């Protein structure tokens, strides 16, 4: 066999191996994402720098509304998650965003002063009903004293809110009758919430805040040089605050430490104005 013929034979044998070694073509990364309500946002592609200052604008969708916010307003400080979901995070008591990258060095003090905001677009039921669902018991819960306003202990107004405290004596009797042991976690004050409500002029509930039971007396926080920090106490009571923006069909949930309850109205205003002010005018 000649050298030329041998070379041809070797090349022919290597060609299939070379083909196998080729990398498959990558699917192009989608630069936009559109949700069910037709809102299209620009996606962040490639590595993101949470420490960028000034923070770049990132887009997010809430129902049909396109928002544009500096990325340090987002809980992860880089924008939405890959599926478009997101939460915003503000620092209490300033109600301003954390500094770029500050939440990446996560610690107990940052956790304690984080105020988390979630917006939900309500399109399958009436938006007011979505708020009523937060304080109306399901059929199987009607006898549960932890699930109903009427089975709670109404108290005197606190910070402009009417409290409906968890009736722990009634709750424990209810759970005991269903076989729960006295030392079970569900029997403890920390497992239950006090409800605080604000009503509109017609008497309908427009705000409901559910906080760790008053039976947990520790606050879990203290202030140092004007900043809230975690205390040495073991408990960290918190609150879930619900209200709606009916003209936008949006339900808002804000989570924060119970020590911030006194500022519920300021928090509610800030959460609402932040959404409305961030809607892109296109």
């Amino acid at each position: 066999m000649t050298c030329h013929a041998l070379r041809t034979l070797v090349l022919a044998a290597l060609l299939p191996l070379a083909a196998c070694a080729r990398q498959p073509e990558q699917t192009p990364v989608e630069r936009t994402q559109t949700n069910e309500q037709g809102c299209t946002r620009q996606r962040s592609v490639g590595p993101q720098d949470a420490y960028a200052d000034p923070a770049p604008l990132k887009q997010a969708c809430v129902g049909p509304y396109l928002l544009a916010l500096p990325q340090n307003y987002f809980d992860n400080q880089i924008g939405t998650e890959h599926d478009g979901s997101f939460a915003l995070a503000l620092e209490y008591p300033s109600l301003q965003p954390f500094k770029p990258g500050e939440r990446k060095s996560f610690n107990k003090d940052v956790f304690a002063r984080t105020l988390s905001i979630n917006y939900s677009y309500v399109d399958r039921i009436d938006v007011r009903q979505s708020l009523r669902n937060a304080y109306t018991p399901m059929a199987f819960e009607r006898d549960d004293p932890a699930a109903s306003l009427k089975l709670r202990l109404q108290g005197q107004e606190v910070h402009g809110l009417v409290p409906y405290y968890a009736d722990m004596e009634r709750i424990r009797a209810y759970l005991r009758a269903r076989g729960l042991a006295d030392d079970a976690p569900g029997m403890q004050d920390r497992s239950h919430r006090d409800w605080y409500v604000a009503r509109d002029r017609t008497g309908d509930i427009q705000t409901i805040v559910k906080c760790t039971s008053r039976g947990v007396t520790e606050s879990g926080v203290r202030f140092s040089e004007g900043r809230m920090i975690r205390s040495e106490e073991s408990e960290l009571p918190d609150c879930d605050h619900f209200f709606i923006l009916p003209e936008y069909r949006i339900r808002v949930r804000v989570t924060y430490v119970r020590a911030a309850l006194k500022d519920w109205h300021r928090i509610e205003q800030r959460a609402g104005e932040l959404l409305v002010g961030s809607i892109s005018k296109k």
Side-chain angles (χ1 to χ4, degrees):
M1 182 179 294
T2 66
C3 290
H4 177 74
L6 180 60
R7 189 181 300 114
T8 301
L9 184 60
V10 171
L11 288 174
L14 291 176
L15 280 174
L17 296 177
C20 291
R22 290 179 189 147
Q23 295 297 320
E25 292 185 7
Q26 294 185 349
T27 303
V29 176
E30 293 291 338
R31 301 277 176 174
T32 61
Q33 185 179 59
T34 302
N35 68 9
E36 292 180 359
Q37 291 78 33
C39 174
T40 299
R41 69 176 183 90
Q42 294 291 324
R43 298 181 64 194
S44 298
V45 179
Q48 304 297 305
D49 180 11
Y51 296 87
D53 191 7
L57 286 177
K58 296 296 179 70
Q59 293 185 340
C61 288
V62 179
Y65 306 109
L66 178 66
L67 312 184
L69 287 158
Q71 68 177 12
N72 60 315
Y73 277 82
F74 290 85
D75 180 76
N76 60 16
Q77 297 206 297
I78 57 174
T80 68
E81 301 298 332
H82 71 280
D83 62 355
S85 62
F86 72 96
L88 302 184
L90 301 179
E91 185 175 7
Y92 181 82
S94 71
L95 303 189
Q96 295 301 312
F98 287 87
K99 294 177 182 177
E102 187 173 3
R103 288 180 55 77
K104 291 300 182 182
S105 55
F106 200 71
N107 59 50
K108 62 181 182 179
D109 295 333
V110 169
F111 179 82
R113 58 177 174 261
T114 293
L115 184 145
S116 180
I117 308 173
N118 286 270
Y119 302 106
S120 300
Y121 182 71
V122 182
D123 61 349
R124 290 179 171 83
I125 61 172
D126 180 75
V127 67
R128 290 176 176 80
Q129 181 60 47
S130 74
L131 183 61
R132 286 193 287 269
N133 289 345
Y135 58 85
T136 303
M138 304 288 283
F140 67 88
E141 297 176 311
R142 286 177 184 161
D143 296 329
D144 184 348
S148 171
L149 277 174
K150 69 179 183 180
L151 298 179
R152 292 173 162 269
L153 299 172
Q154 184 175 342
Q156 295 297 313
E157 188 174 286
V158 178
H159 308 308
L161 298 166
V162 177
Y164 290 82
Y165 298 115
D167 186 337
M168 292 306 301
E169 183 177 343
R170 177 180 280 181
I171 287 172
R172 290 186 178 109
Y174 173 84
L175 295 175
R176 197 175 290 121
R178 282 153 182 78
L180 204 66
D182 284 349
D183 60 352
M187 291 289 199
Q188 309 305 311
D189 292 87
R190 69 173 62 90
S191 297
H192 296 280
R193 316 287 270 183
D194 295 329
W195 296 1
Y196 300 83
V197 306
R199 300 178 185 271
D200 62 20
R201 293 179 180 177
T202 67
D204 289 333
I205 292 176
Q206 61 182 16
T207 296
I208 181 164
V209 190
K210 300 181 177 183
C211 301
T212 304
S213 167
R214 61 180 174 168
V216 178
T217 58
E218 299 175 346
S219 72
V221 296
R222 62 185 178 87
F223 282 87
S224 176
E225 298 179 354
R227 302 192 83 188
M228 177 182 280
I229 61 175
R230 186 73 166 90
S231 71
E232 298 304 316
E233 296 171 321
S234 59
E235 300 288 348
L236 185 63
D238 64 353
C239 298
D240 287 315
H241 177 162
F242 302 91
F243 68 99
I244 57 174
L245 301 171
E247 61 273 39
Y248 295 93
R249 298 186 61 88
I250 289 174
R251 181 171 118 152
V252 187
R253 176 181 179 178
V254 191
T255 303
Y256 45 83
V257 294
R258 192 181 63 191
L261 178 63
K262 61 186 178 66
D263 286 319
W264 71 271
H265 192 259
R266 185 167 69 96
I267 290 169
E268 185 168 301
Q269 282 189 316
R270 174 69 166 136
E273 289 170 356
L274 185 56
L275 175 115
V276 175
S278 301
I279 294 177
S280 176
K281 309 304 180 189
K282 298 182 180 180

